[in-house]
Amino acid sequence: MSSETLSSVATEHFPWTPSVCGSAQHGYGYEVINEPASTAPPADLPPRAAPLPPPDWHVGDAPVAYADALAVMEARVAAIAAGTAPELVWLLEHPPLYTAGTSARPEDLVDARFPVHQTGRGGQFTYHGPGQRVAYVMLDLRRRRPDVRWFVAALEDWIIGTFARLNVRGERRDGRVGVWVRRPERGDGREDKIAAIGVRLKRWVSLHGISLNVDPELGHFSGIVPCGIADPRYGVTSLWDLGHLVPMPEVDSLLKAEFEAVFGPVRPRSGPPPELGRG
C-alpha cells in the first residue's frame, strides 16, 4: 500500500508520532503517511476480553443530510469506544454535496455549486449524491486488529471483491487513493475512479468509510478536482457508465456478502440507526 493511500486516513489517540504531510496537525488529527512502529493499542485503551459481537448493518432508504450522518457517527463511535454500543456499518445516500478532507486544497474546489462540508476524514475533496452508495464503517480496531494499513487494505478488498461479483475489475493504484478501472477504449493509459475511501480513527474506532459510484450524475464531479488528481488521463466512472445497470438493492446485497467475507458476519437491522434524529 502506498503512502498516498495512507494519507486518506486521519487519526486520533495513536500511541506513536506519525509522519505527516506539511504541518504536523490537520484539523481533527494527523494525516498518516507511514506505518506505526508499533501496532499495540494505546495504554489507556486496553483490549476487552469479551468476544466481539457482529456489527449492526443498517441500509437507508432516503437521502440523509451530511450533518445528521456526522452526528450519528460521532455518537456511535463514542459509544463503541466506551463499550456501550455495537459496531455499525451504515449504507446510505446523501443529497448532492462536496466534502473536504484534512488535506483538501482550496484551488481544487472549482465550482461550489453544492454545499461544501469540512470533515475530519483523511483525503481531499470528493462528491456525494444520489446514485452513489456511501458506507460509513464504525469498527473497533483495537479489538479487531489495531493496524492502519490492514484496515485500509481490508476496505479496498471489500470494494474490489464487491465489484468482482459483478464482473467488474477494480484495481489499486500506487499514488492514487481509491479503486480504479481501466478504460482502454478511451485511450492509452486512461483509467477512471469508481470508488473512494476516506476514514478517520478516533480512539482506534473508525468513522467515515467508502463510496461506490452506482449511478450518480457524473457531471457533478466537475465542481471539484476529485481527490486532488488533475491528470486528464484519470476520470470518474460508475457501474452504469460501464454498462452494468445494477439496482441499488442488488449492490447492497453484494456489499453485505463481501463485507462478511472480509470482516466477518453482521447483524442486519431495520430502519436507520437509532442515533439518527436524536439531540
Side-chain angles (χ1 to χ4, degrees):
M1 184 185 306
S2 70
S3 62
E4 290 292 332
T5 299
L6 278 180
S7 73
S8 68
V9 183
T11 69
E12 286 187 8
H13 298 288
F14 273 75
W16 41 275
T17 301
S19 298
V20 296
C21 298
S23 61
Q25 199 164 354
H26 297 266
Y28 291 98
Y30 293 96
E31 186 173 59
V32 180
I33 61 172
N34 285 331
E35 187 175 12
S38 169
T39 56
D44 65 331
L45 296 174
R48 304 186 193 95
L52 189 67
D56 289 346
W57 182 274
H58 287 265
V59 180
D61 58 4
V64 178
Y66 188 78
D68 292 342
L70 188 61
V72 169
M73 285 192 283
E74 293 284 0
R76 178 60 72 98
V77 164
I80 293 169
T84 59
E87 299 173 311
L88 170 64
V89 181
W90 183 19
L91 275 57
L92 70 153
E93 292 176 89
H94 285 303
L97 58 91
Y98 298 125
T99 64
T102 54
S103 55
R105 300 173 299 196
E107 61 269 25
D108 288 342
L109 181 60
V110 179
D111 176 10
R113 69 187 77 167
F114 303 121
V116 180
H117 297 267
Q118 299 293 326
T119 176
R121 64 161 175 80
Q124 301 187 37
F125 280 105
T126 193
Y127 165 77
H128 295 310
Q132 182 190 73
R133 178 52 87 208
V134 174
Y136 289 134
V137 182
M138 287 148 269
L139 300 182
D140 190 347
L141 299 192
R142 64 182 168 173
R143 297 179 63 188
R144 288 178 173 268
R145 183 173 172 178
D147 184 322
V148 178
R149 287 180 181 270
W150 167 81
F151 179 56
V152 176
L155 292 175
E156 292 172 336
D157 288 343
W158 177 27
I159 298 169
I160 291 169
T162 299
F163 287 140
R165 293 170 184 257
L166 293 166
N167 295 315
V168 174
R169 183 177 179 180
E171 299 179 90
R172 298 174 172 90
R173 287 292 178 263
D174 287 342
R176 285 186 272 132
V177 181
V179 175
W180 298 78
V181 294
R182 303 184 191 195
R183 304 301 300 271
E185 74 279 8
R186 296 191 175 182
D188 291 342
R190 288 294 303 268
E191 296 185 344
D192 287 343
K193 190 172 189 176
I194 193 169
I197 299 173
V199 296
R200 172 183 166 196
L201 299 180
K202 189 173 184 180
R203 294 177 63 84
W204 284 100
V205 180
S206 65
L207 62 163
H208 301 283
I210 67 172
S211 59
L212 283 70
N213 295 334
V214 179
D215 184 29
E217 174 51 64
L218 295 179
H220 290 174
F221 285 90
S222 64
I224 57 172
V225 178
C227 298
I229 300 172
D231 191 318
R233 294 175 298 170
Y234 308 132
V236 180
T237 190
S238 68
L239 287 172
W240 282 48
D241 183 50
L242 295 173
H244 296 267
L245 308 185
V246 188
M248 192 69 78
E250 182 176 345
V251 174
D252 293 342
S253 177
L254 296 175
L255 279 167
K256 178 177 176 291
E258 190 62 25
F259 183 93
E260 292 185 315
V262 174
F263 291 100
V266 300
R267 180 169 51 184
R269 297 291 198 179
S270 60
E275 294 88 348
L276 188 64
R278 289 181 184 172

